[in-house]
Structures are given as structure tokens and as C-alpha cells.
Amino acid sequence: RFENINLTPSSKRDYEEDEFSVTGSMAASMEEYNKMRHNLVENELRKRTMKKLMGLGCALVALAGVFAAIQVAIFRTSQTPKPLLGSVGADDVTFHLLYSTPHTPSATSALARQLSNLTSEDTDFVLHLGDVTDPSVTLCQPSVYYDAAAVLFSSSNVKTLSLPGKQDYLYCPDPRGSWRHWRRAFIEDSWGMNDGNRTKRDFGIDEQRQPGKKENFA
């Protein structure tokens, strides 16, 4: 190449120095460019990461707020019960539970006396949980159901409801027949009975019974 250009030694030295200078400058520029490009990529990745973290943080804060609101609502609900019936006060519901009675004449007299002492001012309703008969003693005679219903519904001065117990039909000699008598006494004829005359008594409280299964109510 130098022969063709016909450079002098000094010219060749100057040319080589210029060529080295240009090559070095280009290399330095490429290194700076790569470094700058690397910095830009890192900055962009850093920005995206920060955006994701900020979005996740906002989501967590919102979720914590919803959870706190739910907890407050649950606490307020548990602390401030709503009246179901309201005959004894705006915030109170009072009821009495009975079960496995009356099985004897003395128990029948005691139950009638206790029910007659109840008033709508201190009691909203009475719920009998079943087993008004003892199959091993009464053999689930039909009169047992009607006598028990008469005591419950005639003696009580407040709304009285009853559920069937296992001994009311399941353990009886004739479960199907006993079940029919229980339904007739405690559901179909479940109102006050005085001197054999059935007169429906209105306590201002109406339960809702399940169609087809009237023994279930709310």
C-alpha cells in the first residue's frame, strides 16, 4: 500500500498515527455508546419494576382496607343484634325452650302453670323441642299428642311452637300413624283449645312454614 501511495517515512508515520487515533476514537465511542445503552436499559427496567411494585402495594393497601371493613361490619353485627320479634324491646328477643315433657300428670300440671305465668312483656315465644311422649310407657296413643298440644297451646299466653322428636313417631309401634297424629295435633290444630272448642289465638307473630314439610318453620 505504501509503495502505491509513495509515502515518505515521515508521512507513513503520520498516517499510521492518524489511523490509530481514528480507530481509537471509534472504539472509545462504541464503548461509550454501549455503556450509555446499558444504562438506559437498566433505567427502563428499574422504572418498570418500580411501577409494578407500586401497583402491587396499592392493591395490597386496597385489600387490607376491604378486609378491615369486613371485620368492622362483622364486629358491629355481632355487637348490635337486630330485633326478630321485638315484643320485649328494640334490641332483645326472649324465648323459652322445652323438651321431653309432659310425660306424667304432675309434669302436665307443672307445665300448664309455668306457661300461664308467661307474658308477652317478658317472653316473645316458647319453643318445644319434641318428645312429648315416651313410647315405652304410652305406646304413642293418639290421646297423648292431643293432650300435650292442649296444654302447650291453651295454657301459654305467648306464641308457642313445637318440633317433632324421635320419640314422637320414630320409636313408636306405628311410626306412620304416630306421625299423622303429631302433625294433626301440633300443626293443623296448633291453636288454643278450651273446653273442646278450638279457637285460633293471634299473638301478633306469624311463622313461615316450609311447603310440603310444615314441621319446618322460620
Side-chain angles (χ1 to χ4, degrees), residues 10-22:
S10 60
S11 297
K12 285 197 281 185
R13 186 174 58 254
D14 294 338
Y15 180 82
E16 290 173 354
E17 291 176 355
D18 293 339
E19 184 180 20
F20 178 79
S21 176
V22 171

Side-chain angles (χ1 to χ4, degrees), residues 72-102:
V72 171
I74 294 175
F75 177 79
R76 289 180 177 176
T77 302
S78 63
Q79 295 299 314
T80 56
K82 296 181 179 180
L84 299 178
L85 303 173
S87 64
V88 298
D91 298 323
D92 298 317
V93 175
T94 302
F95 59 93
H96 292 265
L97 295 178
L98 305 173
Y99 73 95
S100 192
T101 189

Side-chain angles (χ1 to χ4, degrees), residues 73-146:
I74 294 175
F75 177 79
R76 289 180 177 176
T77 302
S78 63
Q79 295 299 314
T80 56
K82 296 181 179 180
L84 299 178
L85 303 173
S87 64
V88 298
D91 298 323
D92 298 317
V93 175
T94 302
F95 59 93
H96 292 265
L97 295 178
L98 305 173
Y99 73 95
S100 192
T101 189
H103 289 171
T104 63
S106 59
T108 300
S109 299
L111 178 61
R113 184 173 60 256
Q114 292 170 353
L115 291 174
S116 64
N117 291 331
L118 298 178
T119 67
S120 59
E121 295 180 355
D122 54 29
T123 302
D124 283 294
F125 64 93
V126 173
L127 176 60
H128 195 292
L129 300 179
D131 292 347
V132 297
T133 183
D134 183 354
S136 64
V137 177
T138 65
L139 299 179
C140 302
Q141 294 295 321
S143 59
V144 174
Y145 302 101
Y146 299 102

Side-chain angles (χ1 to χ4, degrees), residues 21-62:
S21 176
V22 171
T23 303
S25 298
M26 291 179 62
S29 298
M30 287 298 297
E31 184 179 356
E32 291 178 357
Y33 170 78
N34 289 333
K35 185 181 295 184
M36 181 177 64
R37 186 171 179 273
H38 179 73
N39 291 336
L40 289 174
V41 172
E42 283 189 344
N43 290 335
E44 184 64 24
L45 291 176
R46 190 178 296 110
K47 290 180 180 179
R48 292 183 181 181
T49 302
M50 290 299 297
K51 287 182 179 180
K52 290 181 180 180
L53 291 176
M54 291 179 63
L56 180 61
C58 292
L60 291 175
V61 171

